[in-house]
Amino acid sequence: MLAEKAVNQGVAPVTYGQGDRPPRGDYASARADYTCDQNWSAYTPEEHALYRRLYERQAAQMRGLACDEFISAVQHLGTPERIPRFDELSQTLYKRTGWEVVAVPGLIPEEAFFALLAARRFPVTGWLRKPEEFDYIVEPDVFHDLFGHVPLLFDPVFADYMQAYGAGGLKASRLDACELLARLYWYTVEFGLIRTPQGVRAYGAGILSSAGELRYSVQSPEPSRVGFDLQRIMRTRYKIDSYQATYFVIDSFQQLFDATAPDFTPIYRAVRELPEIEAGAVLPGESLIAAE
Ligand code: HBI
Ligand code: FE
């Protein structure tokens, strides 16, 4: 069953089946919940080598740029020599925060995505990018999902935030507020920054898995860095095919969890009354957080 509807992960809207590009993953053999088998034995030695090169490029630059929680948890992915087995990784992860890693053929419809998160099952794309995509890839592949997202699922507070996000997503679907909630995901889970005594550090998976954006997001004077503000985030559009023009900075994962604990219905209503904000725009009187 192909994922007919466009799935807007915030990256280029991707349609499968009747869409303009054949799906890269095998949606036809996915289960009703869009999970599938990882088929680990099908990875070639070249793919394991490409994964290792991607891993080593990020690991070499993460100190001083990635948050400590990420740096201390990335070891749980196991050896960089080969793409991890999701079932082994899930055993370690489950003991820590009750999460497991499940294979999916790629981007899946929002409802299915939210349902997996709400059940503490993180969907990881099974396929790996091609060598020519070493520097940039539009859709999330196994490297982005595993290296970018999975380590922070070992942090108990962030793990609870991710599960609450999934539960909130299922409610947002009923309130037709998925686009607003997608911005929260984009500006926290994918491209979030966090304040530390040593300065701003990255925790967003889209940054942590990106060769160039990891340093750019923390050190460049170009982008705006705005203190976390839920309504401001939900009003702010985002760029899907370039480095972010705006990053939002949290004080802690606890702040992120607490800020998103209440029912969003009144927040959606308030946001809908206000104009959208372009990526990169700075509001009058808004104070920005300095780069490194
Ligand atoms: N599907 N596999 C996968 N991974 C994602 O990160 C993902 C998705 N579908 C929808 C989606 N993300 C976004 O729309 C989120 O904002 C919900
Ligand atoms: Fe992602």
Side-chain angles (χ1 to χ4, degrees):
M1 167 175 67
L2 288 181
E4 290 77 21
K5 75 176 184 132
V7 167
N8 176 12
Q9 128 98 340
V11 290
V14 190
T15 54
Y16 306 118
Q18 303 80 4
D20 51 359
R21 263 186 303 144
R24 292 182 67 159
D26 175 10
Y27 287 82
S29 60
R31 290 177 277 270
D33 63 1
Y34 282 88
T35 62
C36 60
D37 298 332
Q38 181 185 13
N39 197 7
W40 190 84
S41 56
Y43 292 130
T44 64
E46 293 74 22
E47 287 180 305
H48 289 299
L50 178 58
Y51 170 83
R52 190 186 74 249
R53 286 177 53 224
L54 288 161
Y55 181 111
E56 288 170 348
R57 177 169 63 176
Q58 296 311 105
Q61 60 172 322
M62 64 185 178
R63 274 167 187 66
L65 297 174
C67 65
D68 289 343
E69 294 85 348
F70 177 86
I71 293 172
S72 59
V74 72
Q75 62 188 314
H76 295 305
L77 296 182
T79 173
E81 295 296 316
R82 55 183 177 280
I83 297 167
R85 292 171 188 265
F86 295 178
D87 53 356
E88 286 176 5
L89 188 51
S90 293
Q91 279 168 19
T92 324
L93 180 58
Y94 191 80
K95 285 188 201 115
R96 289 284 293 266
T97 58
W99 276 84
E100 53 182 319
V101 169
V102 290
V104 290
L107 288 172
I108 62 177
E110 287 176 329
E111 282 277 327
F113 182 69
F114 292 141
L116 289 171
L117 295 188
R120 292 191 181 243
R121 304 176 75 206
F122 190 78
V124 173
T125 298
W127 52 264
L128 180 71
R129 67 190 72 183
K130 298 282 172 265
E132 54 272 24
E133 297 171 301
F134 184 62
D135 286 325
Y136 180 71
I137 185 168
V138 178
E139 296 155 78
D141 71 335
V142 65
F143 180 73
H144 165 81
D145 282 336
L146 264 188
F147 187 89
H149 284 285
V150 173
L152 283 183
L153 290 175
F154 283 86
D155 177 278
V157 178
F158 193 80
D160 287 351
Y161 170 68
M162 288 294 282
Q163 193 269 337
Y165 180 89
L170 294 172
K171 279 169 61 178
S173 302
R174 291 193 296 276
L175 298 165
D176 194 23
C178 287
E179 189 184 1
L180 299 180
L181 199 70
R183 290 173 177 169
L184 175 61
Y185 191 84
W186 189 265
Y187 280 119
T188 58
V189 181
E190 292 295 356
F191 290 95
L193 298 177
I194 185 168
R195 271 197 183 90
T196 78
Q198 295 75 34
V200 163
R201 293 291 181 267
Y203 73 90
I207 302 176
L208 293 164
S209 60
S210 161
E213 195 158 4
L214 180 48
R215 188 166 304 283
Y216 175 83
S217 67
V218 170
Q219 294 182 343
S220 169
E222 259 178 64
S224 309
R225 293 176 186 84
V226 179
F228 177 88
D229 173 326
L230 189 54
Q231 291 197 23
R232 171 68 160 88
I233 284 176
M234 286 194 179
R235 293 173 56 197
T236 307
R237 300 168 63 80
Y238 49 78
K239 296 172 170 278
I240 57 174
D241 49 9
S242 66
Y243 292 172
Q244 297 307 304
T246 301
Y247 295 99
F248 288 90
V249 187
I250 60 174
D251 295 325
S252 66
F253 293 143
Q254 193 60 51
Q255 176 210 25
L256 180 60
F257 179 78
D258 295 343
T260 52
D263 174 37
F264 281 178
T265 310
I267 297 169
Y268 293 142
R269 198 177 309 117
V271 165
R272 284 197 176 105
E273 304 292 311
L274 298 165
E276 286 189 336
I277 301 167
E278 278 312 304
V282 180
L283 301 185
E286 203 159 48
S287 57
L288 298 184
I289 294 158
E292 265 279 75

